[in-house]
Amino acid sequence: MKLNITAAILLLLNLNCSAQQKTVSVEENYKNWNWQNVHVAKNKYISLAVVPEAGGRILEYNLGEVPSLWLNSKMLGKTFPATDEIKQNEWRNFGGYRLVPLPYENCSVDKEGNKGKRWPPPVIIGAATYDVKVGKNNLGFQTIEATSGKQKLPVPKFFRDTGFVYPDKIEEELQYSRILYIKPNSSLVYIDHTLKNVGDAPVKRGLKISSQHISETELGMHDGENYVAYVPFSKELKLPNGEQFEITTNAEQRWRYVNRNRFKLDKENPEHVEKYYNHGTNWNGEVAPGIYEIAYDYNQMAGIHMIASESWLCYVNKKTNTAFAKILEPYNSDLEYDQGLNNAIFCSGLSEGYIETEVQTPLYKLNPDESFNYREIHGAAQIENAPVLAVNLAGVTTKKLTVIKNSNRITGKYGVFNEGTAVLQFKSGDKVLISKDIGLVNPLEVFKVNISLVKPKYFDTMQIVIIDTDKKETLLDVLYFQ
């Protein structure tokens, strides 16, 4: 009888554990998007949707009811054949989370057989239907696994006088796959990207992985100043041209773009010249030490190139004070990156417009049947204010841990990625001298520190850690004392 009771308890524990891990469902016509078999990962904090027929893209990543991703309403329910015979005006941009093989400058051929770039980018890996299924990883979490068809390169390019120009031979074959999962009590999304050489010749390739973010409160408002991206930078890290950063347009290009696509401009009008004859006024610059802010500008079609010195990017909706961060693999100066970049931020004037946070992997030499893997972790949190000063696996910092001079008052402001308990610790070396719970936290609530606490006599470190519901401890912020 004792054995039976024990077995029953274990069964109930296993059933409870399985129920906790069930985070993925397959939905028909999810949110009236008119696609079938939309794979949805959801918990009490976030929702995420992967659409097989929309190039396997993630078309939703929401914190509560606040969306981060722009969805192209004109493309809802559409599917396209898996062909790269498309013209420049036929870009199948569903919105959301998309990818392009790098370098994109050598993905097509011209009339003389020379390598070059083509817009739209390669379709099979970027917009054709993916094979998507539900799986389970070795941690016990349900996964959404998306796999592209075989992308053949170079792709044909269309010319008005000759039609499509085709390569003499296929030189590369690539296949992309993605595995992602979420946990029940967290806003974090764990994403593993794989690019495999499925051809019979060596290649050197990487990936540009972009999130197209919402950039206006309502359609037509064009209030992009409220939708920003943050890039951490170091003055020691320069682009290949020796500059700290570059804007991918100039005054004349911007003038022509606005004049052609928005409204007629007059260079005899001083107001027009002051407002539009520049490379954009949305590059807000260094808004905190080592933190660059970019706001969305509807009358702009350009990006900023700057090496991210820390392993993160962050998009913020200032109207809702919601932060959506990407934690990247660390920049490695020993590796080769396309254009020397591990990221880019881009303002698009297409459709109603959107701001992109773009992650660029290193370029890897792959022999046949070889692949490389790249991990991103996305996290979302409610914050009280911007700018974002730091991001890590625990959350977002908007005011760093501080001791008010000549007092015992300790302050700081954060958004957190995991449900759990915030703990303030004083340490000497590796030894914790004092550990005090200072509040319950979760991704939907701003976490503010404003307490008085008697400090120990001798210590060298003060830090805040988050202990999540699985009892895992993650460092949020730290302050060192000499």
Side-chain angles (χ1 to χ4, degrees):
M1 184 67 180
K2 203 169 187 180
L3 286 173
N4 289 337
I5 291 174
T6 302
I9 291 172
L10 287 173
L11 178 62
L12 286 172
L13 287 172
N14 287 334
L15 287 173
N16 183 54
C17 181
S18 297
Q20 285 184 337
Q21 308 309 318
K22 187 173 176 57
T23 53
V24 177
S25 62
V26 181
E27 307 287 340
E28 302 297 316
N29 195 20
Y30 180 68
K31 293 193 172 179
N32 293 316
W33 288 353
N34 294 319
W35 283 300
Q36 307 306 310
N37 302 319
V38 176
H39 289 58
V40 180
K42 191 173 185 177
N43 61 29
K44 57 186 172 181
Y45 298 116
I46 59 171
S47 61
L48 181 145
V50 177
V51 182
E53 294 172 302
R57 295 191 187 194
I58 301 169
L59 292 185
E60 177 178 281
Y61 176 35
N62 294 0
L63 177 66
E65 298 300 317
V66 179
S68 66
L69 297 177
W70 172 75
L71 178 62
N72 190 346
S73 59
K74 297 175 183 177
M75 299 288 283
L76 291 177
K78 292 189 176 181
T79 60
F80 297 93
T83 175
D84 265 301
E85 293 179 341
I86 57 172
K87 303 173 185 178
Q88 184 169 344
N89 63 348
E90 296 174 338
W91 185 29
R92 304 162 182 179
N93 187 23
F94 297 97
Y97 188 70
R98 69 182 186 92
L99 63 91
V100 176
L102 294 175
Y104 69 88
E105 297 92 346
N106 67 352
C107 286
S108 72
V109 290
D110 63 19
K111 300 172 188 177
E112 286 73 42
N114 300 314
K115 293 286 186 64
K117 62 183 178 181
R118 184 199 74 171
W119 199 262
V123 165
I124 307 304
I125 207 168
T129 299
Y130 272 50
D131 177 43
V132 180
K133 63 182 180 180
V134 179
K136 191 174 184 180
N137 63 20
N138 56 11
L139 299 175
F141 296 105
Q142 285 187 305
T143 57
I144 299 178
E145 303 176 7
T147 305
S148 76
K150 293 182 180 180
Q151 178 67 65
K152 297 180 179 181
L153 296 175
V155 295
K157 186 172 181 178
F158 184 80
F159 295 88
R160 289 184 181 179
D161 55 342
T162 59
F164 282 103
V165 172
Y166 299 86
D168 292 333
K169 65 176 183 177
I170 297 301
E171 299 179 7
E172 301 178 45
E173 289 187 84
L174 306 171
Q175 190 163 38
Y176 166 79
S177 59
R178 178 201 315 125
I179 298 176
L180 66 83
Y181 70 94
I182 67 173
K183 296 179 179 180
N185 299 308
S186 171
S187 70
L188 293 172
V189 184
Y190 299 83
I191 307 174
D192 290 303
H193 305 278
T194 300
L195 187 66
K196 184 176 182 180
N197 178 3
V198 293
D200 56 10
V203 303
K204 185 166 70 172
R205 288 291 173 188
L207 291 169
K208 176 186 283 189
I209 312 154
S210 304
S211 295
Q212 299 175 331
H213 298 289
I214 287 171
S215 58
E216 59 182 355
T217 306
E218 293 181 8
L219 188 63
M221 282 189 68
H222 301 158
D223 58 341
E225 66 275 9
N226 297 300
Y227 301 87
V228 300
Y230 294 100
V231 182
F233 72 94
S234 166
K235 293 180 180 177
E236 304 303 313
L237 293 174
K238 301 292 179 66
L239 299 176
N241 62 9
E243 298 295 327
Q244 182 71 66
F245 66 88
E246 62 183 6
I247 307 299
T248 62
T249 189
N250 56 42
E252 189 62 32
Q253 289 169 330
R254 185 179 190 221
W255 180 274
R256 289 201 305 266
Y257 179 78
V258 174
N259 187 59
R260 185 185 306 119
N261 297 285
R262 297 292 181 251
F263 36 77
K264 290 299 178 182
L265 296 175
D266 180 5
K267 281 193 176 177
E268 300 300 318
N269 184 329
E271 184 179 348
H272 282 187
V273 172
E274 180 182 4
K275 195 169 184 180
Y276 298 110
Y277 197 73
N278 53 60
H279 65 335
T281 56
N282 55 317
W283 321 109
N284 293 339
E286 190 173 8
V287 292
I291 304 296
Y292 199 102
E293 181 184 82
I294 302 99
Y296 179 72
D297 185 346
Y298 181 68
N299 294 314
Q300 182 80 329
M301 188 76 163
I304 182 169
H305 290 171
M306 174 189 289
I307 296 169
S309 58
E310 302 294 331
S311 301
W312 60 270
L313 303 172
C314 195
Y315 159 78
V316 171
N317 177 338
K318 288 185 175 181
K319 298 286 284 190
T320 60
N321 282 329
T322 313
F324 293 88
K326 296 179 176 182
I327 298 173
L328 325 175
E329 291 188 4
Y331 175 75
N332 186 341
S333 59
D334 293 331
L335 299 179
E336 182 181 357
Y337 293 82
D338 187 38
Q339 301 181 55
L341 295 167
N342 65 345
N343 83 98
I345 308 298
F346 185 72
C347 292
S348 173
L350 297 176
S351 301
E352 56 263 37
Y354 48 84
I355 187 170
E356 281 191 333
T357 53
E358 304 177 347
V359 174
Q360 294 194 182
T361 76
L363 301 177
Y364 292 97
K365 293 180 180 178
L366 303 175
N367 290 320
D369 292 324
E370 285 187 339
S371 61
F372 76 83
N373 301 310
Y374 187 92
R375 167 163 275 203
E376 277 186 286
I377 302 174
H378 294 200
Q382 195 71 40
I383 57 175
E384 183 176 78
N385 60 285
V388 168
L389 305 179
V391 174
N392 57 32
L393 282 171
V396 172
T397 298
T398 59
K399 183 180 186 300
K400 292 184 177 180
L401 194 58
T402 304
V403 178
I404 303 301
K405 192 174 182 180
N406 300 323
S407 78
N408 289 318
R409 185 156 293 278
I410 300 164
T411 63
K413 292 181 182 179
Y414 310 92
V416 299
F417 297 146
N418 294 297
E419 178 184 334
T421 302
V423 180
L424 181 67
Q425 297 177 340
F426 293 91
K427 298 175 67 178
S428 177
D430 293 331
K431 184 179 180 181
V432 176
L433 305 174
I434 294 177
S435 184
K436 179 178 176 58
D437 293 1
I438 56 174
L440 298 177
V441 295
N442 70 67
L444 291 175
E445 296 182 9
V446 177
F447 172 44
K448 292 189 285 187
V449 178
N450 189 358
I451 61 173
S452 290
L453 188 67
V454 177
K455 302 184 289 291
K457 191 171 183 180
Y458 302 105
F459 69 98
D460 54 38
T461 306
M462 181 173 64
Q463 64 185 27
I464 296 175
V465 299
I466 305 299
I467 302 176
D468 66 21
T469 54
D470 294 324
K471 308 302 181 186
K472 181 179 178 181
E473 185 177 296
T474 310
L475 179 67
L476 178 62
D477 196 9
V478 62
L479 179 61
Y480 297 102
F481 296 84
Q482 294 181 343

